[in-house]
Amino acid sequence: MKFFEDVLVGDVDELGRYTFTPDDIKSFAHRFDPQRFHIDEEEAARSHFGALCASGWHTASMWMRLAADQRRREAEAAIIRGEPVAQWGPAAGFRELKWLKPVYAGDTIAYRAEVIETRISQSRPESGLVVSFASGDNQKGERVISFVSTVFVQRRPDMP
Amino acid sequence: MKFFEDVLVGDVDELGRYTFTPDDIKSFAHRFDPQRFHIDEEEAARSHFGALCASGWHTASMWMRLAADQRRREAEAAIIRGEPVAQWGPAAGFRELKWLKPVYAGDTIAYRAEVIETRISQSRPESGLVVSFASGDNQKGERVISFVSTVFVQRRPDMP
């Protein structure tokens, strides 16, 4: 887990891929977004989507899941190397969330994050803010989701 | 379910309340946001939050759930009255999402939506776009989340 000072604008994290199964899509939607095109294949076929597709909140939440997994892997690797582990999170917010294309059952989304800005936090001087362009592309290379995420990241304790 | 022409700027929907239990918070977080302050009371107590609190994606997704429930109730009421039911959704996106305060285990959030803009869709002339200011306040009246949501809403088929 990098400290704030080690995070550079332009850094890219490939967060991994996730395949949205019909069961996943319906399970999330029953709990959080019970619209007809997210919970029923036949209703979805009659909707303008034409087939079962994931809730946008599901697509967004999976970005968070893969980002958290990535942070945990990096923290574990740092511990194995005997290095201190910087705290990432919580998120400070996000903006400009766009659902650009439907995510259909069976689609595999490759998620990534690219650092576009770093700055010291005014409200918490012990932290920096890392602003990332978050995105997900389907197996055809089409972008399905993007947003701008801002997260608090611990500064190196030994920095002046 | 109102058609686009019946939706007015200034319309407010009180979507209902939801109490975030520790189990709910941990269950969502294990699946989508496994950060220490969302999955473990003791770790959360040591974090700057000071206690177990919900993933921001969970807080946001519950807005969607209550909004969808509200739409379903309105559609059912329209059917009982023998009125045509307008299609709401899908969402076109959202912006300016802010997590303003933590949502702690036991907090009850009252969600609402206020229409702030309506306009005909350029890309889908059979639909209008309804832009709403979405928010959630805790039991102390503190705003914990807000964002601006844009959704496609069917126009009256009999309108010129």
Side-chain angles (χ1 to χ4, degrees):
Chain A
M1 227 45 227
K2 287 177 179 172
F3 285 89
F4 172 71
E5 288 75 8
D6 306 318
V7 178
L8 300 177
V9 170
D11 283 354
V12 171
D13 267 331
E14 305 289 350
L15 301 175
R17 287 161 198 276
Y18 184 78
T19 300
F20 287 76
T21 68
D23 281 354
D24 276 343
I25 288 173
K26 289 187 258 186
S27 155
F28 184 95
H30 275 294
R31 205 162 148 206
F32 295 111
D33 193 356
Q35 299 187 78
R36 66 203 184 288
F37 32 73
H38 300 320
I39 54 176
D40 187 286
E41 276 90 349
E42 290 182 18
E43 292 259 20
R46 283 195 295 270
S47 77
H48 75 277
F49 288 122
L52 190 73
C53 58
S55 166
W57 302 84
H58 191 181
T59 321
S61 294
M62 280 311 306
W63 181 90
M64 185 65 236
R65 168 58 189 272
L66 294 183
D69 285 350
Q70 170 94 339
R71 289 181 202 164
R72 199 191 56 238
R73 281 192 300 270
E74 287 190 16
E76 287 167 356
I79 289 166
I80 288 169
R81 291 193 304 267
E83 294 172 5
V85 175
Q87 265 189 211
W88 278 59
F94 62 90
R95 58 180 203 261
E96 293 162 49
L97 193 145
K98 292 174 190 163
W99 292 305
L100 301 158
K101 293 252 180 198
V103 173
Y104 290 106
D107 279 358
T108 297
I109 308 304
Y111 289 98
R112 76 200 292 271
E114 178 169 359
V115 176
I116 57 172
E117 183 186 338
T118 61
R119 63 176 191 274
I120 304 298
S121 165
Q122 299 294 310
S123 62
R124 300 185 194 171
E126 75 285 4
S127 295
L129 287 164
V130 172
V131 184
S132 297
F133 181 75
S135 60
D137 294 352
N138 67 19
Q139 65 281 3
K140 298 180 207 160
E142 298 164 331
R143 184 136 297 168
V144 297
I145 187 170
S146 69
F147 59 92
V148 174
S149 156
T150 303
V151 64
F152 287 100
V153 175
Q154 190 185 0
R155 298 177 71 188
R156 275 201 184 281
D158 53 0
M159 295 294 280
Chain B
M1 227 43 228
K2 287 177 178 172
F3 285 90
F4 172 71
E5 287 75 9
D6 305 318
V7 178
L8 300 177
V9 170
D11 283 355
V12 172
D13 267 331
E14 305 289 350
L15 301 174
R17 289 162 197 276
Y18 184 78
T19 300
F20 287 76
T21 68
D23 281 355
D24 276 342
I25 289 173
K26 289 187 258 185
S27 156
F28 184 96
H30 275 294
R31 206 163 147 205
F32 296 112
D33 194 356
Q35 299 187 78
R36 68 202 182 291
F37 33 74
H38 300 321
I39 53 176
D40 187 285
E41 276 90 348
E42 290 183 19
E43 293 259 20
R46 283 195 294 271
S47 77
H48 76 279
F49 287 121
L52 190 72
C53 59
S55 166
W57 303 85
H58 190 181
T59 321
S61 294
M62 280 312 306
W63 182 90
M64 185 66 236
R65 169 58 190 272
L66 294 184
D69 285 351
Q70 170 94 340
R71 289 179 201 164
R72 198 192 55 238
R73 281 192 300 270
E74 287 190 17
E76 288 167 355
I79 289 166
I80 287 169
R81 291 193 304 267
E83 294 172 5
V85 175
Q87 265 190 211
W88 278 59
F94 63 90
R95 60 180 202 260
E96 294 162 50
L97 193 143
K98 292 173 191 164
W99 291 304
L100 301 158
K101 295 252 180 197
V103 173
Y104 290 106
D107 279 358
T108 297
I109 308 304
Y111 289 98
R112 75 200 294 271
E114 177 170 0
V115 176
I116 57 172
E117 184 186 337
T118 61
R119 62 176 192 274
I120 304 299
S121 166
Q122 299 295 311
S123 62
R124 298 185 195 171
E126 75 285 5
S127 295
L129 287 164
V130 172
V131 183
S132 298
F133 181 74
S135 60
D137 295 352
N138 66 19
Q139 65 281 2
K140 297 180 209 160
E142 298 164 332
R143 184 137 296 169
V144 297
I145 188 171
S146 69
F147 59 92
V148 175
S149 156
T150 303
V151 64
F152 287 101
V153 175
Q154 190 184 0
R155 298 177 73 188
R156 277 203 182 278
D158 53 0
M159 296 292 281

